């Protein structure tokens, strides 16, 4: 009987977590055709279809959903075996949900690696589609996230906050401004960046609107948002750390002075977090500014 190879499982997990074969292939550093071929091989081995695919969406079938936890456990067991062979004593999977460029993230990751050198760290960046940083799909043990979003089953500890900026093409009528009011943006086409209702309301500032949002294109990553802004198809908000991290050709970032700031939090499972995740949380509380810290439980 043929058995799946570990690469089949890794490719399946990437596709299942992204629900987009192009993004999954980019994450795996392969071409989409290679990913599709590997998934087809795995489906032949299992004798079951794992994905429903159309031009508009990708979804797991009932067989795919049933297979998912076993594939995840198998890959985890291989990783644990590698760690044991290398003399490591545990693993921490860290999700960064649009938080990777904030200085606090870099500081925490460096200090955790220094304090716990015998713990293997897997660090993964998540786009707008998963504001939980992989916790919701079980691919992370702990995450640095930006609430609000649906936090059912999670515990969030707020660490810090920062202002929000609008991303505009560099020839936009407001591009010369240092700061603006949100009212100057309400008629702009707005990028749709997430399917999570709470997150969508926050990043589209729906509380300060009196008219329907002029929806722009769906943008599930920072790069897609920037391209939408650069081509005058939509605008959107980003945190100060993103706005000031690099020079982005063709774009400007203008602070929006009258919208609530974006917060950064450590997110852990509300039930049975790993020892390594709790150590990371403890380190974050030691490292983050003391003001503004508080815990949000579902």
């Amino acid at each position: 009987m043929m058995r799946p190879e570990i690469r089949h499982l890794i490719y399946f997990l990437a596709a299942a977590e992204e629900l987009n074969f192009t993004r999954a292939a980019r994450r795996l550093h392969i071409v989409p055709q290679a990913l599709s071929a590997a998934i087809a091989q795995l489906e032949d081995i299992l004798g079951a279809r794992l994905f429903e695919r159309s031009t508009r969406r990708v979804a797991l079938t009932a067989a795919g959903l049933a297979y998912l936890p076993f594939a995840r456990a198998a890959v985890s067991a291989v990783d644990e075996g590698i760690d044991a062979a290398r003399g490591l004593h545990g693993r921490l999977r860290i999700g960064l949900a649009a938080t990777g460029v904030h200085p606090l993230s870099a500081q925490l990751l460096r200090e955790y690696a220094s304090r716990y050198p015998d713990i293997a760290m897997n660090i993964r960046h998540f786009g707008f589609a998963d504001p939980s940083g992989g916790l919701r799909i079980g691919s992370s043990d702990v995450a640095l996230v930006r609430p609000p979003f649906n936090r059912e089953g999670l515990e969030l500890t707020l660490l810090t906050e920062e202002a929000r900026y609008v991303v505009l093409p560099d020839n936009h009528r407001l591009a010369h401004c240092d700061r603006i009011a949100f009212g100057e943006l309400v008629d702009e086409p707005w990028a749709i960046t997430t399917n999570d209702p709470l997150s969508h309301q926050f990043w589209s500032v729906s509380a300060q609107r009196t008219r329907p949002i002029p929806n722009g294109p769906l943008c599930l990553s920072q790069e897609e948002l920037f391209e939408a802004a650069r081509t005058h198809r939509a605008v959107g908000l980003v945190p100060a750390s993103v706005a000031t991290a690099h020079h982005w050709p063709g774009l400007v970032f203008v602070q929006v002075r009258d919208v609530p700031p974006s917060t950064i939090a450590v997110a852990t499972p509300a039930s049975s977090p790993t020892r390594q995740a709790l150590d990371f949380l403890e380190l974050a509380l030691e490292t983050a500014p003391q003001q503004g810290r508080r815990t949000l439980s579902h």
Side-chain angles (χ1 to χ4, degrees):
M1 181 179 69
M2 289 187 63
R3 296 184 184 276
E5 300 173 17
I6 190 65
R7 68 177 179 91
H8 289 128
L9 304 186
I10 292 171
Y11 288 7
F12 167 69
L13 290 177
E17 291 167 3
E18 297 290 349
L19 292 180
N20 181 295
F21 273 49
T22 301
R23 288 200 302 272
R26 189 181 305 133
R27 169 178 153 187
L28 294 164
H29 306 292
I30 61 174
V31 297
Q33 295 88 337
L35 175 59
S36 296
I39 295 299
Q41 291 171 0
L42 179 59
E43 290 176 329
D44 286 343
I45 292 169
L46 298 177
R49 191 173 182 182
L50 301 173
F51 293 94
E52 294 286 353
R53 299 175 65 182
S54 70
T55 56
R56 300 189 63 181
R57 67 189 292 267
V58 175
L60 284 165
T61 63
L65 286 169
Y67 190 60
L68 182 61
F70 296 98
R72 188 169 284 140
V75 172
S76 179
V78 170
D79 287 340
E80 289 172 7
I82 293 170
D83 294 343
R86 292 175 175 172
L88 300 172
H89 297 96
R91 179 176 291 264
L92 179 63
R93 301 172 301 163
I94 304 167
L96 301 177
T99 53
V101 299
H102 195 282
L104 180 61
S105 298
Q107 184 180 1
L108 279 172
L109 296 175
R110 280 196 303 265
E111 293 193 12
Y112 187 88
S114 175
R115 185 176 296 189
Y116 300 100
D118 60 342
I119 300 296
M121 295 169 61
N122 285 356
I123 303 165
R124 183 181 158 203
H125 293 259
F126 288 82
F128 301 144
D130 185 2
S132 78
L135 286 169
R136 188 77 64 213
I137 57 175
S139 64
S140 297
D141 303 308
V142 65
L144 290 169
V145 299
R146 292 188 181 275
F149 57 88
N150 176 14
R151 61 177 192 271
E152 182 177 0
L154 305 177
E155 186 166 288
L156 272 59
T157 302
L158 303 185
L159 300 178
T160 190
E161 62 182 34
E162 57 182 330
R164 289 191 284 171
Y165 286 62
V166 62
V167 53
L168 302 169
D170 59 8
N171 59 352
H172 191 276
R173 61 185 174 83
L174 299 172
H176 66 284
C177 300
D178 292 325
R179 301 175 76 214
I180 59 174
F182 179 72
E184 297 179 81
L185 298 169
V186 291
D187 293 323
E188 298 285 342
W190 209 263
I192 304 169
T193 56
T194 177
N195 293 323
D196 183 282
L198 292 176
S199 184
H200 176 67
Q201 290 168 16
F202 179 74
W203 288 101
S204 62
V205 199
S206 60
Q208 293 176 225
R209 295 179 183 269
T210 58
R211 299 189 298 276
I213 301 173
N215 284 330
L218 177 65
C219 301
L220 295 180
S221 70
Q222 177 179 284
E223 292 75 17
E224 290 176 5
L225 170 59
F226 287 0
E227 291 308 325
R230 223 187 311 252
T231 54
H232 290 261
R233 292 178 295 134
V235 303
L237 296 183
V238 297
S241 56
V242 171
T244 59
H246 305 286
H247 170 69
W248 303 97
L251 296 174
V252 296
F253 299 85
V254 179
Q255 185 176 353
V256 185
R257 64 175 182 263
D258 56 349
V259 297
S262 171
T263 56
I264 293 180
V266 175
T268 56
S271 175
S272 303
T274 67
R275 178 68 258 167
Q276 291 89 348
L278 293 176
D279 289 339
F280 186 88
L281 173 59
E282 181 180 348
L283 178 61
L285 291 173
E286 293 176 15
T287 305
Q290 191 164 4
Q291 62 271 21
R293 292 187 203 158
R294 56 194 176 97
T295 299
L296 303 176
S297 299
H298 178 72

